[in-house]
């Protein structure tokens, strides 16, 4: 099988996304005063693994529309381009891609939690 010209593997795409992020440990995310913690996991995964109390639930398929300050579908928390969106998924892979997409929208402070919810829970931080 020959990869088409210009195509990249998912590992290459993930690596490129992460070069743009200053990823946070769960402890850093927990202590960050202006962090808007955003859970992008599907409902079934949240039900199985648990949740971070106070986090916003915005599933991955609508994330950009909810956080783009110029979108008609934005949430009230999408107050501008300086929002400190800290995205997390289960283990920190999808969230890296999502945070890079938010940066593409102009949310330069967007990032994710290294290790995702699994690392948060392992660190003994609050879950529900």
């Amino acid at each position: 099988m020959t990869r088409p010209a210009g195509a990249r593997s998912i590992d290459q795409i993930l690596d490129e996304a992460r070069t743009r992020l200053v990823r946070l440990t769960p402890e850093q995310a927990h202590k960050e005063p202006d962090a808007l913690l955003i859970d992008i996991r599907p409902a079934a995964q949240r039900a199985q693994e648990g949740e971070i109390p106070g986090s916003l639930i915005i599933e991955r398929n609508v994330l950009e529309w909810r956080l783009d300050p110029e979108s008609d579908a934005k949430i009230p928390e999408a107050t501008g381009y300086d929002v400190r969106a800290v995205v997390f998924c289960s283990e920190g892979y999808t969230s890296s891609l999502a945070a890079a997409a938010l940066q593409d929208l102009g949310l330069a402070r967007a990032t994710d939690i290294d290790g995702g919810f699994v690392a948060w829970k392992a660190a003994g931080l609050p879950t529900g």
Side-chain angles (χ1 to χ4, degrees):
M1 176 182 341
T2 303
R3 183 183 300 167
R8 298 177 292 155
S9 71
I10 188 58
D11 290 332
Q12 291 170 314
I13 293 169
L14 181 62
D15 288 344
E16 189 278 326
R18 287 182 172 166
T19 64
R20 299 164 41 192
L21 304 174
V22 178
R23 302 180 79 208
L24 301 178
T25 66
E27 295 84 0
Q28 289 170 320
H30 185 252
K31 291 178 183 175
E32 184 132 349
D34 63 344
L36 186 61
L37 295 178
I38 303 168
D39 189 341
I40 62 169
R41 297 172 298 155
Q45 204 168 30
R46 291 190 314 272
Q48 180 181 10
E49 296 176 351
E51 297 183 8
I52 296 175
S55 63
L56 287 176
I57 296 170
I58 305 174
E59 291 193 16
R60 177 65 191 98
N61 62 324
V62 295
L63 181 69
E64 290 87 347
W65 286 269
R66 300 298 182 258
L67 290 175
D68 181 348
E70 297 183 35
S71 171
D72 291 338
K74 72 178 179 244
I75 59 173
E77 293 84 356
T79 57
Y81 291 98
D82 62 342
V83 169
R84 179 63 159 156
V86 178
V87 183
F88 67 94
C89 61
S90 184
E91 295 183 357
Y93 295 95
T94 302
S95 61
S96 291
L97 299 176
L102 293 176
Q103 287 186 353
D104 289 341
L105 287 175
L107 291 118
R109 299 177 65 216
T111 192
D112 73 330
I113 296 176
D114 191 357
F117 181 82
V118 170
W120 179 283
K121 190 171 184 177
L125 295 169
T127 61

